[in-house]
Structures are given as C-alpha cells and as structure tokens.
Amino acid sequence: MQLIDSFGRTVNYVRLSVTDRCDLRCVYCMAEEMTFLPRQDVLSIEEFTSLGRAFVELGVTKLRITGGEPLVRRGTIELLQNLGQLPGLKELCLTTNGTHLPQYARAIRDAGVKRINISLDSLKPERFHQLTRFGDLNQVLAGIKSAQAAGLKIKLNCVALKHYNADEVPALVQFALDEGLDISFIEEMPLGKINDHGRAAEYVSSDELRNQLSRGYQLLPLENSHADAGPSRYWQVDGFNSRIGFISPHSHNFCGSCNRVRVTATGRLLLCLGNEHSVDLRKQLRAENYSETALRDQIISSMQLKPEKHFFNLNEEPQIVRFMNMTGG
Ligand code: SAM
Ligand code: SF4
C-alpha cells in the first residue's frame, strides 16, 4: 500500500504536531502574544496513536513528532512508545527546542527514536535569549549533551535571519563539527503574522550563507544520501562526518520531490506547508461510527488535494495565517 498524490509523488513521511504550546517564543515562529488551543480541541494521545497506525498501514515509513514544543506536552513519551512499536515503521523522529532533553533524552531513545532535530539559532546567551524571547542557552546546551549521552543522532536546525544571527553561521558550523552533529540552515518562511521584524528585511539566501562559509571551509557537495533527504541539500567539510544542510524554500524550491504531509494538533491533515489544502481527520476520529477503514479511506482520498507547490512572497502580507507552531515544522 502506498499513498500517491495526483502529481505522482509518494507520501511516506508524516509529521504530527502534538501541541501548539511552547516554553519559548522564537521571533520567527510566534507573535509575542499568542492564544493557544483549548485542550479539548487537541487530539488525545490515543487519537494520535490511531493516526500513526493508519498512516503506517498506508505505507508511511517515517513519523516525526513535533509542535509547538512536543516535550511540554504530558503524554508525548507515551505516544513515542506507542508509535515505536508499529510494525512497518522504519524511522521515528522528534523535533525539539532541547530545553526538556535533560529530563527525557533516555526515555526518548528507549521508545525507539534514533534521530532528533534540535533548534539552535545562536551560541551567544544574550542573542539566544532575544531570538527566543526568554530562552536560556545553557538549558539547550545541556539538552544537547543529554541527547548525545543517550546515543541519539542529532541534527541542529538554525533559522538564519540577516540582522540577528547570519554572522554566526560559521561559529554554528564549527560547533557542529566539533560535536560531531549535523546542522541545517533554514530560510525563514512567511507563516503567520509577526510584528518583531519584516520577513523580507531578514531574508538571507542559502547561497549567501554558503559563500560566507566557503571563506573558512572547503565545502564538498553530497549527493542526497537518503531517498527521503527531502528539502535539505547537504555539504560536508573534508575530514568531518557532519552534514551541513540548507533548506531553501525561497531560493531553491523543493516541492517536486515532496514526500510529506503534516497533521496539526487539532487533527487537520495539511497537504502542504505553504498552502491551506487540508482535511479534518479529527471529525473522522471522533465520529460515532468511527472505523479504521473510514479513516484510512479519508487519508487516501486526501492525497488528491496535495498542491503541486508553495508560493511564498516575502513582500506581501503572509498568505498563510497559521504560525509554524500550528503547522508542525
Ligand atoms: N519546538 C520545536 C523546535 O523548535 O524545534 C519543534 C517545532 S518548531 C515549529 C520546528 C522547526 O520549525 C524549528 O526548527 C524552527 O526553527 C522552525 N521554524 C519555526 N518557524 C519558522 C519559520 N517561520 N520559518 C522557517 N522555519 C521555522
Ligand atoms: Fe517554540 Fe519551536 Fe516555535 Fe521556537 S520554533 S517558538 S521552540 S515551537
């Protein structure tokens, strides 16, 4: 069984956003004042487990738990444990801001997770605090250490903003090389209306970052080593294992090889990060006559709604009003 959309793309990767809440307020992700979802609107751990099972039965081989911050939700570890047991699932991953890893890294590994993404936008405490509005860099560095000690493979994610942290890209790469971690730099996407900065004014392309890096490092391009490498394009520095990735939604459209869909905390299946095409899976999950077959059928038919590509325009009001914490990055 495989999920195939109307453009012939196979969907084998699903991201589940288990909460819209977070203990940080990154300036590119959220507005300063946010209204979060009432709890009854958010899917239960059982409902997320049923969804995960349905997707895997439909040929999905990779699930990622994200948010919001997934580790602020009680029950996330239980969900990972449930999903980790699904026959047919090849990869169970997590994206986190790292603040709760000292507490949970071992439990995450024991649930069957091998790889995690940790967001890290600066190595300067004050700047980190400013970018996250109240984050403590030391907490995240301790989280990275705990994840390493638990044997988890780590990729750092950094959203590069021209006047905030773009100058730190070489330092972040050096940190990744020293610690033996992968790192990806992401072009900011216009998701949700923020007041902190103009998205166009902060835009810095992946090519600019790579040029900056090539003054200090000899970067060697890597062929996409995984079938599911997705939107990242990777480079390596001679003598180091770390992969240096660039996710370039503006400068290098990656929609042609898109293999993923997302489910929001309310059970809305989003067929594309940059479009509103979606179906309400919660209705199906909470229907009186709920059946696994009906849920699977709805997922299969939803594939026909997956758009060909996203169109982002940084100079206009955001077309997509939902914030990244809703979308599940
Ligand atoms: N809280 C977790 C974290 O920060 O890793 C998981 C959720 S967060 C929404 C997932 C990823 O989306 C993070 O790497 C974050 O940097 C990225 N992100 C958030 N808003 C973004 C935006 N507007 N453009 C590009 N990436 C964004
Ligand atoms: Fe929270 Fe992650 Fe969004 Fe930052 S990027 S505010 S850590 S959900």
Side-chain angles (χ1 to χ4, degrees), residues 31 50 59 75 126 132 154 183 190 247 251 260 263 285 295 308 325:
S50 300
E126 270 180 35
T132 56
I154 300 168
I183 186 164
I247 301 176
S251 62
R260 63 202 61 193
V263 181
L285 281 161
L295 179 64
E308 187 180 8
N325 70 310

Side-chain angles (χ1 to χ4, degrees), residues 15 22 26 28-30 66-70 95-98 117-119 121 157-159 186-191 199 324-325 328-329:
R15 296 184 172 196
C22 186
C26 301
Y28 48 77
C29 177
M30 293 198 194
T66 180
E69 174 47 43
T95 300
T96 172
N97 63 27
N117 290 354
I118 304 177
S119 295
D121 298 321
N157 272 340
C158 170
V159 177
I186 307 170
E187 291 175 355
E188 183 187 18
M189 289 174 252
L191 300 177
R199 305 240 197 217
M324 193 62 146
N325 70 310

Side-chain angles (χ1 to χ4, degrees), residues 3 12 14 37 43 52 57 87 93 116 136 155 161 164 184 199 204 221 257 259-260 264 274 287 294 306 329:
L3 289 171
N12 54 16
V14 177
L37 293 163
L43 295 191
E57 284 169 0
C93 305
I116 63 172
D136 174 0
K155 177 165 80 78
L161 304 179
Y164 278 84
S184 279
R199 305 240 197 217
V204 50
S257 59
N259 64 345
R260 63 202 61 193
T264 69
K306 189 166 165 63

